[in-house]
Amino acid sequence: MADTNERRVWAIVPGAGIGTRMGSERPKQYLELAGRTILEHTLERLLDQGEIHAVLPVIRPDDPYWPTVRDRLGGHPKLLAEAAGGKERADSVANGLAALTHRTTRDLILIHDAVRPCIRAEEIRAVIGAAAETAGAILAVPVADTLKRVDGEGRIEATVDRAGLWRAQTPQVFPAGILEEALEAARHNPAPATDEASLLERAGYPVQVVVGREDNLKVTRPEDLALAELFLGAR
């Protein structure tokens, strides 16, 4: 495995969310793009990546859609049996990490959103390479739009300086021991966290940013489906 100091890379894909903002009957990871579910596209991108040793989906225990996706992936040798999703994202990641019983504390853990199906191989390699040299690395893109702070009535309160502001993406990659420490600290001192990098920040670890691409979008709203399908078709 190139430039990872012989560490194995294990991918965890949190896929236990419901995705209420999409307004669909089924969770957004099971909506279809180009004839396959979003989750299938995402998992296939990771399974096809040579640097990744194995891929672990984290799924709600009562999820009625997952068995069909698992069957469609055809028993891929790198696809591990799913771990049970938790109440919050951090719980799901912790459950996934605990399920990786053969990993070492030096191995790298790659966490990728189930609904980012357009991730490119070169982005995956870049963030893995950066994490192998640091306490962790994430993909992110610099904020280009003008930012406004708005009150509860929809009125602008202030224009926010965007200098130094980035939008976090996934994959996010960390040494297993450091991630485990950060998750344990969060369990004893819970606070809202929408990504794993924020947990490392609280624990005092510096996290490296790797420049990502705008087409690595997170499918969140109905209009994102058409964009994601366009990006997939352009590959």
Side-chain angles (χ1 to χ4, degrees):
M1 189 179 299
D3 297 322
T4 57
N5 297 323
E6 298 183 352
R7 294 165 160 175
R8 290 178 296 181
V9 180
W10 305 80
I12 295 175
V13 181
I18 298 175
T20 54
R21 279 180 288 181
M22 184 61 74
S24 62
E25 293 183 358
R26 61 176 60 194
K28 59 188 176 182
Q29 60 268 32
Y30 295 112
L31 298 178
E32 289 202 353
L33 292 174
R36 301 179 73 91
T37 65
I38 294 172
L39 182 55
E40 284 174 79
H41 287 291
T42 300
L43 291 172
E44 285 173 343
R45 294 296 171 104
L46 300 176
L47 291 167
D48 289 343
Q49 189 67 31
E51 285 82 354
I52 294 176
H53 176 70
V55 179
L56 174 67
V58 183
I59 307 294
R60 283 187 299 121
D62 59 346
D63 190 322
Y65 305 105
W66 167 246
T68 299
V69 170
R70 182 182 57 209
D71 291 345
R72 285 179 179 175
L73 292 171
H76 195 289
K78 289 167 61 171
L79 183 66
L80 301 177
E82 65 275 9
K87 181 179 179 182
E88 304 293 341
R89 180 186 174 95
D91 300 322
S92 290
V93 172
N95 290 351
L97 190 60
L100 297 176
T101 55
H102 297 295
R103 51 90 181 168
T104 70
T105 57
R106 291 188 68 255
D107 283 348
L108 296 176
I109 308 299
L110 179 151
I111 303 156
H112 187 55
D113 295 328
V115 289
R116 286 190 191 270
C118 302
I119 185 65
R120 294 172 180 259
E122 57 267 32
E123 293 174 310
I124 297 172
R125 288 194 294 267
V127 74
I128 289 173
E133 303 296 332
T134 63
I138 72 169
L139 284 182
V141 292
V143 171
D145 297 321
T146 299
L147 298 177
K148 303 291 186 182
R149 181 179 295 111
V150 179
D151 66 16
E153 302 297 323
R155 293 185 291 261
I156 294 173
E157 292 183 331
T159 299
V160 179
D161 183 4
R162 69 188 179 201
L165 295 181
W166 292 62
R167 291 188 286 112
Q169 297 181 338
T170 66
Q172 302 192 356
V173 186
F174 314 100
I178 291 177
L179 178 60
E180 193 169 36
E181 177 188 329
L183 287 166
E184 181 65 15
R187 191 172 69 85
H188 293 290
N189 185 23
T194 55
D195 72 349
E196 290 65 50
S198 60
L199 301 181
L200 268 74
E201 293 160 30
R202 289 183 208 161
Y205 287 103
V207 178
Q208 181 68 38
V209 164
V210 176
V211 179
R213 296 173 56 98
E214 292 288 351
D215 61 5
N216 180 28
L217 85 166
K218 183 177 183 180
V219 178
T220 305
R221 297 178 175 84
E223 57 267 29
D224 297 332
L225 290 168
L227 271 177
E229 191 152 12
L230 178 66
F231 293 148
L232 287 172
R235 301 298 171 85

